[in-house]
Amino acid sequence: VSDASGCSMIALLHTGAAKFPQNLLPRARQAVCSLLPTGVLKGYDSIVSRKLASHSFGASMAAMSSFPPQRYHYFLVLDFEATCDKPQIHPQEIIEFPILKLNGRTMEIESTFHMYVQPVVHPQLTPFCTELTGIIQGMVDGQPSLQQVLERVDEWMAKEGLLDPSVKSIFVTCGDWDLKVMLPGQCQYLGLPVADYFKQWINLKK
């Protein structure tokens, strides 16, 4: 689920801008393009590229003439989807956990982590949640718990060399909801620790 303002980055890269509120597209385009210059979509299929192009993402990115050196070796773009309804259900639970590893020098996507998560407090997705996120019941049924997914995230971080003290990486979100509210809130509810690498991030909206 997107954060309180409805801003979602992985949804834009993964599914195009079809479900993105039209009034937020200019802001999202500016935010994404401030981080991702020409060539960042290398490795993604032509369908996604065409979807982004239809909303002028390609033109905005192609217009960038230079990109300054970055202080981080890697940007880890993250955007959760979570259980939701109207009125909101409590607690919300993460149901999709995607991370996109972006090289801070080449601005190319080097690796991705993606897992669906089985909700346990409210295991049945609501029609509102499916409509908003595009995630159907069959995608989360039988999937690992959040604890198991967090363990696999840590394994992926280690495999990608991101736990090496000499490697500077940071998570990137569109808003503070994912890592300030959603993850620590659910971990507190479940009695799970939050890894230190989740405690700092770049909020593109700021």
Side-chain angles (χ1 to χ4, degrees), residues 2 29 42 73 77 87 97 127 138 142 185 187 190 193:
S2 54
R29 183 180 301 117
K42 182 178 181 181
H73 297 114
V77 185
F97 205 123
C187 284
L190 297 173

Side-chain angles (χ1 to χ4, degrees), residues 84-161:
C84 52
D85 202 2
K86 284 188 175 181
Q88 188 58 273
I89 57 177
H90 298 283
Q92 282 189 277
E93 300 171 84
I94 296 169
I95 55 175
E96 186 177 21
F97 205 123
I99 306 172
L100 206 156
K101 179 188 175 189
L102 192 74
N103 187 302
R105 181 180 60 83
T106 66
M107 287 298 119
E108 292 187 356
I109 298 164
E110 290 193 354
S111 179
T112 59
F113 176 92
H114 181 273
M115 291 190 72
Y116 290 107
V117 189
Q118 170 76 61
V120 294
V121 182
H122 301 287
Q124 191 68 32
L125 301 184
T126 65
F128 175 82
C129 183
T130 293
E131 181 180 357
L132 181 67
T133 67
I135 298 174
I136 62 174
Q137 192 66 40
M139 293 179 179
V140 298
D141 284 345
Q143 296 300 312
S145 65
L146 179 62
Q147 180 177 359
Q148 292 170 320
V149 170
L150 289 173
E151 290 171 355
R152 295 189 190 182
V153 168
D154 201 67
E155 292 171 358
W156 177 79
M157 295 276 288
K159 184 189 72 171
E160 295 295 325

Side-chain angles (χ1 to χ4, degrees), residues 4-5 55 59 65 81 98 108 110 116 124 127 133 135 145 154 178 185-186 189 194 199:
S5 71
H55 291 278
S65 58
E81 300 290 351
E108 292 187 356
E110 290 193 354
Y116 290 107
Q124 191 68 32
T133 67
I135 298 174
S145 65
D154 201 67
D178 301 86
Q186 188 177 359
Y189 184 88
V194 178
K199 296 178 181 179

Side-chain angles (χ1 to χ4, degrees), residues 48-65:
V48 173
S49 299
R50 286 198 300 271
K51 284 182 178 179
L52 292 174
S54 70
H55 291 278
S56 301
F57 276 82
S60 299
M61 294 163 80
M64 299 180 68
S65 58

